[in-house]
Amino acid sequence: MAEERPRSSTKSEPHDEAAATAAPTLSSSQTAGAAEGYSSKCVFCRIAGQQEPGTELLYCENEDLVCFKDIRPAAPHHYLVVPKKHIGNCRDLKKDQIELVENMVAAGKTILERNNFTDFKNVRMGFHAPPFCSISHLHLHVLAPVDQLGFFSKWVYRVNSYWFITADYLIEKLRT
C-alpha cells in the first residue's frame, strides 16, 4: 500500500498518489487528541482529521464517522464511510464492534438518500478483505446503482467473494 511503503530512493513512482505519501504536520492541539487511533501515514486518518484539502467531506450525522466520494468511482454513487479512529480492516473487528459496522451502514444509506437515491435493493455495501485493501483503514464501500457496475467493477465488488464481503455478511460473522 502506497501510504505505508518506506521511501528508500529519491526516484518517484508514477503510480503513487501525493495524498497517500505526504504526511502533514499537526499543530499541538491536533496531536494531543490524535495520539490514539490516528496515524499520520494513513490517508484516511488524515482525511478524517481534515488534513487533506482535496477531499470534500459529505455531511455525516455520526460524529465518529466521515463520508466522502471514492476517487475511483465504480458506480454513479460510490461513497466511502470511514471511522475517524484508525482500525486496520474488517478482519480486525471484534464482536463488540458490530454497532460500528451498523452505524457505517446507516451513514451509507443516509448519504444515498441525501443524494436522491432510495432504491436500496439496487445498492451494495461492503468491505475489501486483506490483502485486497487498497488502504489499511477500515472503510465501507457504498455503491449504487449496482446494475450500472461495469464488467471489471462487478468482479472487484463481487458479493461475498474471497476479496469483498457485504456489511450484512460481516455483521453475521461477528455475531458468531
Side-chain angles (χ1 to χ4, degrees):
M1 283 159 266
E3 77 281 356
E4 295 177 4
R5 209 175 1 198
R7 297 297 206 179
S8 58
S9 71
T10 56
K11 185 178 176 183
S12 66
E13 298 177 38
H15 64 274
D16 285 350
E17 298 175 24
T21 58
T25 55
L26 298 174
S27 69
S28 59
S29 63
Q30 290 168 318
T31 53
E36 187 172 330
Y38 176 88
S39 171
S40 64
K41 294 180 181 179
C42 173
V43 67
F44 285 175
C45 282
R46 294 193 313 267
I47 289 170
Q50 298 183 19
Q51 298 291 312
E52 291 291 329
T55 303
E56 176 188 353
L57 295 181
L58 305 173
Y59 177 77
C60 185
E61 293 174 358
N62 188 314
E63 64 185 28
D64 297 324
L65 304 171
V66 293
C67 304
F68 50 94
K69 291 180 179 181
D70 193 294
I71 62 169
R72 291 186 205 106
H77 297 275
H78 188 168
Y79 308 104
L80 299 178
V81 180
V82 178
K84 289 181 179 178
K85 180 181 177 187
H86 186 87
I87 298 170
N89 61 62
C90 60
R91 291 205 178 135
D92 293 332
L93 294 172
K94 306 292 182 233
K95 189 174 189 171
D96 65 344
Q97 293 171 305
I98 291 172
E99 185 178 0
L100 169 64
V101 178
E102 292 172 335
N103 290 340
M104 292 173 78
V105 169
K109 287 179 179 177
T110 300
I111 290 297
L112 288 170
E113 288 171 341
R114 287 183 165 275
N115 286 279
N116 301 315
F117 190 88
T118 56
D119 180 9
F120 292 112
K121 292 181 182 191
N122 201 7
V123 171
R124 183 161 304 153
M125 293 193 205
F127 303 88
H128 284 292
F132 302 100
C133 305
S134 59
I135 305 290
S136 283
H137 185 127
L138 183 69
H139 56 285
L140 174 71
H141 287 269
V142 179
L143 299 133
V146 174
D147 61 14
Q148 290 186 27
L149 289 174
F151 175 78
F152 184 69
S153 294
K154 286 178 184 175
W155 183 76
V156 170
Y157 299 100
R158 188 171 141 210
V159 174
N160 300 332
S161 57
Y162 182 70
W163 53 87
F164 185 81
I165 60 171
T166 64
D168 290 338
Y169 181 82
L170 177 60
I171 291 168
E172 181 183 317
K173 288 304 240 180
L174 291 172
R175 285 193 172 124
T176 58

